[in-house]
Amino acid sequence: MKIVIVIFIFYLFSKTISQYIDVIPIEYESYNDSLVIKYDESYGFGYYTNISFLWDYQSQHDMSFNCVLNNSIRTCTLPVKESDHEKMYSDNLVACVYQHDTFIMCGFKIHLFYFPSPVIISPFKPNTRGGNTTLSGYYLDLNWRIWVPFENKYKQDQYYREPAVYSLPGKWHTKDYDRMNLIVEVLPGCGNRSIIWDNRQRYNFTYQDPNIENIDIKESLLDITGTNFYNQSVLVAIKIDNNIIDPNDIISVDFENIKLKFNYSDPFSSKLNVQVGCCDYWSNKIQITYPPILSNVNSIPKLKGGLLIINGNRLTSSPSSNNNISITVGDSICSMISSSSNEIKCNLQPLSNSTLNNSSPITVSINGVENTLKLLLFYDIPHIKTYYQINDEIHIIGGCFGNINSTQIQINGKHVSNQIKSINNNETILILNVQNQIYNFNISIESNSIKSNNINVNVKMYTIINEIPSVGNKLINFTLFYVNSSNINIIPTIKILNQHSNQTIKSILTNVNEGVVSCSFLIENNCGIVNYEIEIGNQRYQSSFSYESPFINNCNLNSNEVVSCIGKAFGNSNETIIIISNQSIAFKNESNNNNDKSISFQMSEEYNILGELYLNVCGLSSNKVKINTIPIFKNVSIPNLFDTNGGYIIIIGKYLNNNTNITIECNNEVIEKECKLNNNSTSLECNIKLNSPNDKTCKLLFNNDNNNMVSTFNIIYKSPSINQTSIINLKQGGILTIIGNDFYYPIDKVTIIGSNGNSNDSDILNCNEPKYINNTMITCFIQATNNTFNNIKNGEMIFINVTTNGKNGISKVFKYLTQSDDAHQYSDARNIFQNLLLSILIILIISLFISNI
């Protein structure tokens, strides 16, 4: 009985101990098809083998782990089928526990702190406003998990200090509830957040990115609408062209709307990219545009086209960006000329006569940004912009002035005739003759039956010079027009503006005739252009007049190399400059104190005599002329000996040219030549073709005149040269062919020399009947002979000499043969055969000797 009691007590004790077995995993992993839990056996903790999902204290689904021990690490895997997912929920989760492969107990209550995390099967992205959001996954509904802590890392967020958990609303604990799609009530937020599971593992998610749908520009305000903005400005940023704007410019923020101050003041047309950032997550980019604004444009003739000047604002782009501007008028392209912030100039080609419309819309595109408010171009409407006066002409500036035959003008409201002097082809300038002494008038233009605007014209006093003054003339006569009646009797004065002094000169002679004043002044300037101001009473007029320009008739170079030029208006000024080939020569005409019709100077080596010469007298340039030169000869150079093709000579001198008339005579015979100019007129290279081999003495004549012989020179020819000969056996004789250069006709003699080139009679053999074939080939005949040269071996090369017109050419190219070629060949073959037999015999003897050893 005592034994039974002891056993029962031991059983109760062991049962009690088993209730305190700990199951503490070291690692767990969650997958769609399995849950993995790892244990360290060295700690002595237990491990799960079976698991039951209880609902209302009844098991509604049981599953088993597959456990494998590797060293001290036990890995237990719970296989999960697709059909298991819907059954893996519980209000209580229990398991059977083993320890060291020993069963401990079943019904062990599992705490989710030691259980794998849920698996999220679709992105969890709440909108920034928060609210009910579906959380989809596996292993979500376990042990009444109705609280899920949410981590908020943004300390500036107004919800940062809120409770750390959100509730999961809904009656999800009933069996027909969708256990894999739970509804989570999410607080407003943005950016990154985390769900913290019971085992302290995290699931990171982000709120939805902000999205811009529309931007309205209201004066200096941007009104941005969209979705998933945030209502806390401290976590909101705005980028405009990648630049974050000042947070103080944000007026208000909400989940669907942001308002901010934005005063765009640049004078450039542009498009700007706008982005909204919430918690450092940026929205899509939306472009806002500041288009060009067109205010007005001038009219042009439809059938002629012309210059369009478009005025407005933002008519160019920022200097930091491309300035890609295109202008179209209707369907036609207007070619860009220039642009600024408030003006574009372009050229429009004429339209065809078939274009019936009298207006076309203008579209300006700047880097892809077009004007939204269209401007119409109306054709053929005359308009006056301004005017200016040139003496007795009024130049009206504008457009669509028509032509001189059909256009009419109104002066002071009345049509006038014969006042239009000209209209340019573009119809932009109308020149009007000033009416007789009408000082002020109002003018308009009528073209194409359309009347232009009116402008007032004030005619000012102007002067003309009666005639172009000659150089040195001091008395200058002027006529003054449109002199006010109050000034008509005042003596005019003149001030020369290009003088250092401000001396005022009074008219020495004044005459008045019907409001026109004639006057004369003594002016010290004697040449060039004179700027002046004439004053009569309270009227002034500035202009200029020019003295007569210098003119050159001709310039000649004499034998002393002095250049003399004849003409007029050369002046007598220290400012006279001579220019030769763009080289300036300061000149002081001291030798011709009172003569403005001639000028002379010493020619220098540094000047290019072949270039053009002109004068600059007080800033006025003359015509350009060539200097007439006389060739000067120095000597003749012959760089190389002549040959059968002739040769060339170089004539050295000064002021030579391709037209220089020279003659070359050799032995009283005029020689043909071809000459060309080299080295800037200092040498002539003349090619001469002479076939004769005789050296010659020649003379160089100028203008084919013996009295103008300037040089004599000698032409020396090259001696013949021998390169090779044919092979002749002296005992047989025959025709010998000799190849070389510079053979001349006739050939005097050909000899074969047998003693080192010396011509002793005993060592010379004549080659008879020499014949000239051409300048590279001759032949001669060798008589068969038994005579041989002493100390010359058969086949040895010896000298051969060719004499023509006393010039000798000698070369060691003749092969001395006195035996037949067959004998030579037989002798050579016999020697080779004997040597071959001797070699075979020696090899056989050596082989027998080696075999006996």
Side-chain angles (χ1 to χ4, degrees):
M1 183 64 182
K2 290 182 179 180
I3 295 174
V4 173
I5 293 173
V6 169
I7 292 173
F8 179 72
I9 292 172
F10 177 76
Y11 169 76
L12 292 177
F13 177 77
S14 61
K15 189 71 174 177
T16 303
I17 294 297
S18 68
Q19 295 296 324
Y20 295 97
I21 292 296
D22 286 329
V23 179
I24 302 177
I26 61 171
E27 185 179 339
Y28 18 74
E29 300 169 1
S30 301
Y31 303 100
N32 291 353
D33 58 355
S34 64
L35 295 177
V36 179
I37 305 176
K38 294 182 180 181
Y39 309 89
D40 190 338
E41 288 281 310
S42 62
Y43 295 150
F45 298 133
Y47 57 91
Y48 308 135
T49 58
N50 298 82
I51 186 171
S52 295
F53 296 86
L54 304 183
W55 191 264
D56 289 337
Y57 305 105
Q58 298 294 323
S59 174
Q60 54 91 18
H61 191 57
D62 297 321
M63 302 177 74
S64 298
F65 285 92
N66 298 324
C67 296
V68 177
L69 180 64
N70 185 5
N71 295 328
S72 63
I73 303 301
R74 185 180 297 276
T75 302
C76 294
T77 302
L78 181 70
V80 179
K81 299 177 183 178
E82 187 66 33
S83 59
D84 292 329
H85 288 141
E86 295 181 352
K87 303 172 184 178
M88 294 176 71
Y89 66 92
S90 69
D91 57 12
N92 202 357
L93 193 63
V94 296
C96 293
V97 178
Y98 275 64
Q99 183 182 34
H100 300 304
D101 293 325
T102 301
F103 173 76
I104 300 300
M105 63 174 292
C106 286
F108 185 88
K109 187 174 182 178
I110 297 175
H111 196 283
L112 293 183
F113 186 81
Y114 299 117
F115 198 74
S117 305
V119 174
I120 305 302
I121 59 176
S122 63
F124 181 64
K125 290 184 72 69
N127 62 50
T128 57
R129 187 180 282 277
N132 291 346
T133 306
T134 300
L135 180 66
S136 299
Y138 306 138
Y139 328 127
L140 288 171
D141 189 6
L142 299 177
N143 288 16
W144 293 90
R145 181 186 281 154
I146 61 173
W147 301 104
V148 179
F150 274 58
E151 181 183 57
N152 185 345
K153 69 176 183 179
Y154 299 100
K155 293 184 179 181
Q156 300 158 308
D157 196 332
Q158 64 178 338
Y159 299 107
Y160 181 75
R161 298 184 184 276
E162 288 292 319
V165 292
Y166 301 153
S167 63
L168 299 176
K171 298 180 179 180
W172 51 271
H173 56 277
T174 59
K175 288 187 178 181
D176 58 352
Y177 191 80
D178 187 352
R179 308 295 178 176
M180 292 185 292
N181 295 284
L182 302 185
I183 302 300
V184 181
E185 183 181 350
V186 182
L187 290 175
C190 60
N192 290 321
R193 303 295 169 94
S194 297
I195 297 175
I196 306 174
W197 304 115
D198 305 71
N199 58 13
R200 295 299 179 260
Q201 288 186 339
R202 283 172 165 77
Y203 167 70
N204 296 320
F205 69 93
T206 60
Y207 282 86
Q208 294 184 33
D209 292 341
N211 178 67
I212 302 175
E213 294 176 351
N214 185 56
I215 299 178
D216 287 331
I217 305 173
K218 300 176 181 178
E219 296 181 353
S220 59
L221 178 73
L222 288 188
D223 191 343
I224 305 172
T225 56
T227 56
N228 289 303
F229 303 154
Y230 200 34
N231 67 343
Q232 298 179 48
S233 60
V234 69
L235 296 176
V236 175
I238 310 295
K239 278 184 185 178
I240 297 181
D241 267 6
N242 291 324
N243 297 314
I244 296 179
I245 68 166
D246 187 344
N248 295 323
D249 289 337
I250 298 177
I251 299 173
S252 64
V253 293
D254 200 352
F255 296 105
E256 286 84 25
N257 180 262
I258 297 175
K259 291 182 173 62
L260 67 148
K261 294 182 290 184
F262 185 63
N263 186 14
Y264 183 81
S265 59
D266 285 345
F268 307 114
S269 179
S270 62
K271 50 186 176 183
L272 308 175
N273 290 316
V274 179
Q275 277 183 287
V276 173
C278 298
C279 298
D280 298 325
Y281 279 77
W282 292 94
S283 72
N284 56 320
K285 291 182 180 180
I286 293 290
Q287 283 188 344
I288 58 174
T289 60
Y290 285 83
I293 299 173
L294 314 184
S295 57
N296 60 74
V297 64
N298 61 299
S299 180
I300 59 172
K302 179 167 59 176
L303 299 181
K304 292 183 178 179
L307 177 68
L308 280 188
I309 302 177
I310 304 169
N311 299 111
N313 296 309
R314 296 201 291 262
L315 300 183
T316 188
S317 63
S318 169
S320 61
S321 63
N322 295 328
N323 200 22
N324 186 10
I325 301 177
S326 64
I327 306 103
T328 55
V329 179
D331 296 328
S332 301
I333 295 175
C334 194
S335 301
M336 175 76 175
I337 297 175
S338 65
S339 72
S340 64
S341 60
N342 52 23
E343 181 183 85
I344 288 178
K345 292 182 179 180
C346 64
N347 187 57
L348 185 65
Q349 295 298 317
L351 301 179
S352 65
N353 201 20
S354 60
T355 304
L356 300 178
N357 293 336
N358 199 40
S359 64
S360 298
I362 300 174
T363 300
V364 174
S365 174
I366 302 176
N367 294 332
V369 181
E370 293 184 357
N371 55 301
T372 53
L373 300 176
K374 299 299 180 182
L375 176 68
L376 289 178
L377 166 63
F378 291 92
Y379 300 102
D380 299 310
I381 297 179
H383 57 281
I384 302 174
K385 294 175 67 175
T386 186
Y387 77 95
Y388 60 88
Q389 178 181 346
I390 299 179
N391 294 337
D392 62 340
E393 295 178 349
I394 302 298
H395 292 236
I396 307 295
I397 309 301
C400 302
F401 290 158
N403 61 75
I404 194 171
N405 296 320
S406 61
T407 297
Q408 295 182 335
I409 61 172
Q410 288 187 8
I411 293 181
N412 295 332
K414 296 181 179 181
H415 285 283
V416 295
S417 303
N418 302 322
Q419 294 296 310
I420 300 176
K421 187 174 182 179
S422 66
I423 299 175
N424 69 341
N425 186 58
N426 293 331
E427 303 183 23
T428 56
I429 301 176
L430 183 149
I431 299 178
L432 182 73
N433 288 317
V434 177
Q435 284 194 323
N436 297 332
Q437 299 298 310
I438 299 179
Y439 289 80
N440 302 302
F441 58 88
N442 181 274
I443 186 172
S444 64
I445 296 173
E446 185 175 315
S447 174
N448 302 312
S449 301
I450 302 174
K451 183 181 177 182
S452 74
N453 55 311
N454 300 303
I455 62 168
N456 291 318
V457 176
N458 296 318
V459 183
K460 298 180 180 180
M461 181 188 76
Y462 65 91
T463 69
I464 61 171
I465 190 167
N466 295 350
E467 61 180 354
I468 297 175
S470 59
V471 173
N473 185 12
K474 295 184 178 181
L475 185 64
I476 311 298
N477 300 316
F478 293 88
T479 301
L480 282 58
F481 296 89
Y482 283 88
V483 178
N484 294 337
S485 58
S486 59
N487 299 325
I488 201 74
N489 295 316
I490 298 175
I491 297 175
T493 61
I494 191 169
K495 183 184 294 184
I496 306 304
L497 301 179
N498 52 343
Q499 285 185 336
H500 296 296
S501 63
N502 291 324
Q503 181 183 3
T504 299
I505 304 169
K506 287 188 176 183
S507 172
I508 62 172
L509 181 63
T510 305
N511 183 39
V512 178
N513 183 14
E514 295 183 357
V516 177
V517 177
S518 300
C519 53
S520 302
F521 300 95
L522 287 174
I523 299 175
E524 293 299 326
N525 288 58
N526 293 318
C527 62
I529 298 174
V530 178
N531 297 312
Y532 67 90
E533 180 183 80
I534 286 183
E535 181 178 348
I536 181 169
N538 59 1
Q539 289 179 279
R540 290 182 178 85
Y541 178 76
Q542 287 188 1
S543 186
S544 64
F545 68 88
S546 173
Y547 282 88
E548 186 179 14
S549 297
F551 180 83
I552 304 173
N553 290 329
N554 59 72
C555 291
N556 297 303
L557 176 74
N558 63 22
S559 58
N560 296 322
E561 298 192 61
V562 173
V563 177
S564 297
C565 298
I566 304 299
K568 63 178 181 178
F570 290 169
N572 186 26
S573 171
N574 294 338
E575 296 182 10
T576 300
I577 299 173
I578 301 169
I579 297 97
I580 301 178
S581 296
N582 297 322
Q583 290 180 281
S584 298
I585 308 170
F587 175 73
K588 194 172 183 179
N589 196 6
E590 296 176 346
S591 61
N592 300 282
N593 290 332
N594 297 308
N595 186 1
D596 67 343
K597 296 180 176 58
S598 67
I599 195 170
S600 61
F601 62 93
Q602 185 70 42
M603 194 63 190
S604 173
E605 293 283 349
E606 62 184 290
Y607 308 139
N608 179 12
I609 193 68
L610 298 180
E612 290 183 317
L613 178 147
Y614 67 95
L615 300 180
N616 185 296
V617 180
C618 301
L620 298 178
S621 295
S622 72
N623 56 314
K624 295 180 179 181
V625 297
K626 290 279 189 179
I627 300 174
N628 300 318
T629 60
I630 298 175
I632 298 176
F633 297 95
K634 292 184 178 180
N635 57 66
V636 176
S637 171
I638 305 178
N640 301 307
L641 297 177
F642 276 53
D643 55 25
T644 52
N645 295 318
Y648 69 94
I649 66 172
I650 297 176
I651 301 171
I652 300 173
K654 293 176 69 175
Y655 315 131
L656 306 177
N657 57 65
N658 287 321
N659 298 320
T660 301
N661 191 356
I662 61 172
T663 302
I664 298 174
E665 286 187 3
C666 298
N667 298 340
N668 296 321
E669 180 185 355
V670 176
I671 305 301
E672 292 186 3
K673 64 189 182 307
E674 292 181 0
C675 298
K676 64 178 181 179
L677 188 66
N678 289 335
N679 299 327
N680 295 327
S681 79
T682 61
S683 67
L684 281 170
E685 182 179 305
C686 297
N687 288 320
I688 299 173
K689 291 186 178 181
L690 288 173
N691 294 325
S692 172
N694 297 320
D695 296 345
K696 297 174 177 61
T697 299
C698 303
K699 59 183 178 181
L700 182 68
L701 304 178
F702 175 55
N703 289 335
N704 299 329
D705 187 353
N706 280 316
N707 294 325
N708 284 323
M709 185 181 70
V710 294
S711 179
T712 60
F713 57 91
N714 293 320
I715 293 178
I716 300 174
Y717 283 81
K718 294 179 180 179
S719 297
S721 61
I722 304 169
N723 297 332
Q724 61 182 354
T725 68
S726 60
I727 297 175
I728 295 292
N729 191 307
L730 296 180
K731 289 186 177 183
Q732 296 175 353
I735 295 175
L736 180 68
T737 300
I738 303 170
I739 306 298
N741 292 295
D742 301 314
F743 296 142
Y744 306 102
Y745 181 84
I747 304 299
D748 296 334
K749 183 170 61 172
V750 179
T751 57
I752 298 169
I753 304 171
S755 59
N756 298 323
N758 297 322
S759 56
N760 297 327
D761 291 340
S762 61
D763 294 330
I764 292 177
L765 177 65
N766 290 322
C767 188
N768 302 317
E769 302 175 14
K771 291 183 180 180
Y772 174 84
I773 306 301
N774 54 42
N775 62 345
T776 62
M777 180 187 294
I778 61 174
T779 63
C780 59
F781 180 73
I782 296 178
Q783 186 70 37
T785 179
N786 291 322
N787 295 332
T788 58
F789 295 130
N790 296 330
N791 301 322
I792 303 297
K793 296 179 180 179
N794 189 59
E796 187 176 344
M797 304 302 290
I798 61 175
F799 289 95
I800 185 169
N801 182 66
V802 175
T803 302
T804 174
N805 283 303
K807 295 183 181 294
N808 293 309
I810 186 169
S811 183
K812 196 175 184 179
V813 296
F814 181 76
K815 190 173 185 179
Y816 176 66
L817 293 176
T818 58
Q819 300 177 11
S820 67
D821 289 344
D822 293 341
H824 275 290
Q825 293 172 3
Y826 175 75
S827 176
D828 293 343
R830 182 179 63 186
N831 291 336
I832 293 170
F833 182 70
Q834 288 174 350
N835 291 335
L836 180 60
L837 287 177
L838 181 60
S839 299
I840 294 172
L841 182 60
I842 291 171
I843 292 171
L844 288 173
I845 293 171
I846 293 172
S847 300
L848 289 172
F849 177 76
I850 293 173
S851 64
N852 291 330
I853 294 175

